[in-house]
Amino acid sequence: SVVESYYLTQRDWRDTSYFVASLTTVCNLACGSEWVTADDNVQRKEDMLRFLERYSAEYANFLISIRISEAISEIEYSGLIALAFCDLDFTQEVPKSLLQESEVFRANVFGELRMFYREELKLVDYAGKIGRLMTMFHTMTEASSILAEELRMYSYLFDVYASDSLVRGIFVQ
């Protein structure tokens, strides 16, 4: 997820050209030409490299745009993950009981963050911290949506999934 990529990137690779693409992949944007090797069975290697470099650069730009601010703590990261679970897809029919449970859970997350800011960090005014966290959450949600849509567009326009096992292995879970 974008939340996980952001947290691990800012924790382990802050101020570098590296970003965490997944739990098993760290990309160096400066070395895109090394992403597809002679051993990879790719029919249109140059097109594949341009696709991967562009897609990764966009993904990294989303991460960098929110990485500029101060790093978030592990507790704030956990709060973002918990809020992501509360972020329901309203294009689908959602039972009222699930909506209610989601709202209770979301309120509990904010209560835990409030306690963290007041008791652990000794902050009286933590509105800026919560605001920054919610801005980050919105940016991450938007990034996920945009990048997923872009990947779907590439798959339909260029049939990249069907013809190249490398892309299928990277992006299809």
Side-chain angles (χ1 to χ4, degrees), residues 103-121:
E103 285 305 312
V104 168
F105 189 72
R106 185 187 323 266
N108 288 339
V109 170
F110 284 118
E112 293 289 327
L113 285 170
R114 184 187 74 238
M115 285 177 45
F116 169 69
Y117 291 139
R118 283 190 170 171
E119 295 174 16
E120 297 286 325
L121 300 183

Side-chain angles (χ1 to χ4, degrees), residues 139-158:
T139 301
M140 291 173 189
T141 303
E142 187 70 17
S144 292
S145 176
I146 289 170
L147 293 171
E149 183 62 33
E150 182 177 333
L151 195 56
R152 275 193 298 276
M153 179 195 68
Y154 282 129
S155 72
Y156 292 129
L157 290 177
F158 303 111

Side-chain angles (χ1 to χ4, degrees), residues 33-45 48-49 52 164-167 170:
S33 61
E34 296 174 3
W35 296 351
V36 180
T37 66
D39 295 337
D40 294 316
N41 183 18
V42 176
Q43 293 175 3
R44 298 175 0 215
K45 193 171 283 193
M48 176 63 68
L49 278 172
L52 289 173
D164 291 310
S165 60
L166 179 65
V167 171
I170 292 172

Side-chain angles (χ1 to χ4, degrees), residues 16 69 107 115:
T16 70
S69 64
M115 285 177 45

